Amino acid sequence: MALRSLLPKSLLAFFSVALFALLLPLAAPAQAYVGKPKLIVIVVIDQFRGDYLQRDRAEFKGRGFRLFLDQGANFSDCYFDYANTKTAPGHATIGTGAYTDGHGIETNDWWDASRSFEHKVSSVEDERYQLVDVPASSIPANQPGAPDDAPKFLSGSSPRNLRATTFGDELRLATQGRARVFGISLKDRAAILPTGQAANGAFWIDTASGQFTTSTYYMEHLPEWAHAFNASGRVNEAAREAKVEGTTQFFELVGRMPAANRYELDFARALISGEKLGQNGVTDLLVVSLSPNDIQGHQFGPDSDFEEQMILSLDRDLDSFYSWLDQTVGLKNVWLALTADHGVAPIPAEAAQLGIHSGVVNSKTLYAKVNADLNARFSPGKQVQYLLPGADLPYIVLDRRVFEKAGISEAAAEEALAGLLPPAVAAQAPQPDGPLPLQHRLSPAAHVAGVYTRLELAHGQLPASEMGRLLAHSYAEHGNWYVMMLLDAYQMSAASDWGGTTHFSPWSYDRHVPLAFYGAPFLPGEYHQRVAPVDLASTLASLAGVNQPSAAVGRVLTEALKPVHPDPQ
Ligand SMILES: [Zn+2]
């Protein structure tokens, strides 16, 4: 304004052009995402229940979890709005902002009538692809170069079952592929599903050796930096830290220890450096899914000393990772998000000691009982197998081929099974000296909260209630007949006498996860309104200025956004 008032118009025009020309090389390129970050990192902690952040809050130090709690937007009441609280659907939900009825992932592995009646297919199994550059000793029998005694027949993996795009896919589309999108986990499903179909790469470990691998869906060979990481001896160091040096069961023995979180985060550093993330002039995305918490959590439960050690150790490791990010990409150029794929139930025996009506249903006995009942109904005197094996409650899958052969309709078959289940569960009252750890003041038997047939789920014939909505969000079509049986809260099934715990229910403890953000656009604070993990992808898509993922149902969390966010440049 001062210049304008002092100079004649013609001179002003000249100066304006000259000034513009002078500034041009310094300005951001025309396609730059002004105000957008160079890199977004989503950290997903497997089986990290929403209350853990509150429980251990006083113990956190540095810039690990505190980065979100003190300087970020933290939503302490985030609940999945469906019943499929497992790793694969959880990660798919985080990426797509949709539930199973939108993204198609119902659990970790399922009977798929269009693919096999011999085995369940995993959520990411794809026999058209192969694992990449695994150590010679781990090459499965069906791949070139396998040792003569290779016992395993393994498929490669891909997002073939994912029916919706992810936030990462939309970043790739919006930038005609210039945005770079990667996923990391110990598990293939957790690296693949939150990143999507158009991801540049997803990396997970060969379970025996612990070396990172990928699938030919993404690339024929690991990048140089990943080869270098595998050759660096870092994998041995992780095994040493876990006190199982030389193990050939890396996933089980190292994977459940805090050492494996550090191992994954070191791989994330190698990826960010190797792929030059945050240096592309557009927003890149990395999803890091930390698996160890789930592996140890199943064994020892949410209230063990191991869980607390895992959380506090992870706090230090995240502090170190975020500090490294600050020194390299610069935290002012980064947005961070933190969440989990599902929660977990307490160990049933521990809940029972406090008087909760917890319990364990023996799925083997249950299957035998209802199969006998189905024979009595449809084929007296015979021993037909009416159920497909591999119980994974709440889903119980019927062998449709057997019913079809006998001319029994899907409706008749599913309704018959649905009617037999509640009495069969009630009949499993525990023996006084038996292994089932039930409390002693309430009913001695577990209780069925509801049974729903696939046809009811498919046609939306569900209660007009909150539960009805959770069930509608849980539906996927895989060509098989099934019923969904919900046990009461804090009750679960197991195939044998086992002291662990699990997750796969519509109850609050399985659905409660953290949801927190850090970065320039977020208004720091503690937010207590009920939100859902689908809001993560929707909020990031809105802030990044790209389309919502194709089936997204999340809400943009406007209450946690600054009215105008500053340009991180
Ligand atoms: Zn789990």
Side-chain angles (χ1 to χ4, degrees), residues 46-47 87 187 294 298 342 502-503:
D46 208 310
Q47 200 195 103
T87 294
K187 305 172 177 176
D294 182 74
H298 278 287
H342 53 75
T502 196
H503 49 87

Side-chain angles (χ1 to χ4, degrees), residues 81-101:
D81 203 26
Y82 71 167
N84 293 334
T85 42
K86 291 270 270 196
T87 294
H91 281 81
T93 295
I94 291 160
T96 62
Y99 291 109
T100 300
D101 59 337

Side-chain angles (χ1 to χ4, degrees), residues 446-523:
H447 178 255
V448 173
V451 189
Y452 305 89
T453 68
R454 190 200 72 80
L455 282 172
E456 287 170 336
L457 291 158
H459 299 146
Q461 292 163 348
L462 296 164
S465 65
E466 297 295 303
M467 182 59 81
R469 202 189 61 240
L470 297 180
L471 296 173
H473 283 164
S474 305
Y475 181 71
E477 168 75 58
H478 295 301
N480 270 305
W481 301 356
Y482 63 81
V483 303
M484 202 174 177
M485 179 180 82
L486 307 178
L487 295 167
D488 277 6
Y490 297 100
Q491 299 174 7
M492 61 190 71
S493 73
S496 60
D497 178 17
W498 133 111
T501 185
T502 196
H503 49 87
F504 198 7
S505 86
W507 307 120
S508 64
Y509 49 81
D510 281 346
R511 291 163 46 216
H512 189 194
V513 292
L515 181 64
F517 300 90
Y518 168 86
F522 300 100
L523 204 58

Side-chain angles (χ1 to χ4, degrees), residues 269-283:
R269 287 176 172 92
L271 189 155
I272 291 169
S273 303
E275 297 292 340
K276 299 185 168 51
L277 295 193
Q279 301 177 35
N280 290 313
V282 294
T283 301

